Amino acid sequence: MFNPSSDDVRRFFCETFRKQRANELLTPLEAMASDWIRHHPEYHDVLADVEHALTRDYSGGNVSNPFLHLSMHLSIDEQISIDQPPGIRAAATALTLKLDDAHAAQHAIMECLGEMIWNAQRNGTQPDGLAYIEAVRRLL
């Protein structure tokens, strides 16, 4: 199973941003990441400096972690593409239609995903996919 380190994730997004700016050929995963990078120009300075990106500490909570944020976008894209947990595709589609904004819908879903992960970590349990889907559906 692929289990990238924090540095691997940071290098991936920085390299994707570099390739995007240089108009180089992107892998399918890089192309997905590139789309989300375009939606987040506030992260471009961080992504442009790989050495700084590798040493930056986001554990203080005062600053958003761009690598976590972009990774969550990719995770939600993957969930929607394979409809896992079951029902996420329909819920995401309905939320996108309601908000008339796929990016805003992803951010709302991201809050639900983050809450599910936080609850699982806090309780020492497996993530609850049903609770996650219900949280997304409540947004409708």
Side-chain angles (χ1 to χ4, degrees), residues 26-40:
L26 301 171
T27 68
L29 184 59
E30 288 171 336
M32 288 172 57
S34 178
D35 286 341
W36 291 116
I37 289 168
R38 280 189 194 96
H39 282 287
H40 289 284

Side-chain angles (χ1 to χ4, degrees), residues 7-120:
D7 284 357
D8 293 337
V9 170
R10 291 175 186 218
R11 281 189 185 95
F12 167 77
F13 284 111
C14 290
E15 178 63 7
T16 298
F17 183 59
R18 185 199 65 73
K19 288 171 75 173
Q20 177 190 70
R21 290 184 316 174
N23 291 316
E24 293 180 16
L25 187 62
L26 301 171
T27 68
L29 184 59
E30 288 171 336
M32 288 172 57
S34 178
D35 286 341
W36 291 116
I37 289 168
R38 280 189 194 96
H39 282 287
H40 289 284
E42 69 274 21
Y43 298 153
H44 290 180
D45 287 344
V46 172
L47 297 172
D49 185 352
V50 68
E51 294 308 316
H52 186 253
L54 292 173
T55 60
R56 180 92 188 255
D57 181 12
Y58 293 98
S59 62
N62 294 335
V63 176
S64 172
N65 181 334
F67 305 102
L68 175 60
H69 187 88
L70 293 169
S71 294
M72 288 181 78
H73 273 302
L74 291 180
S75 177
I76 293 166
D77 277 349
E78 179 68 9
Q79 291 171 2
I80 292 167
S81 76
I82 63 172
D83 197 30
Q84 185 61 32
I88 190 63
R89 182 183 299 141
T93 299
L95 186 58
T96 298
L97 290 171
K98 176 183 177 184
L99 299 177
D100 194 30
D101 184 341
H103 191 213
Q106 275 241 350
H107 278 210
I109 293 167
M110 194 178 294
E111 291 296 321
C112 299
L113 177 60
E115 180 180 345
M116 177 194 64
I117 293 168
W118 183 80
N119 281 329

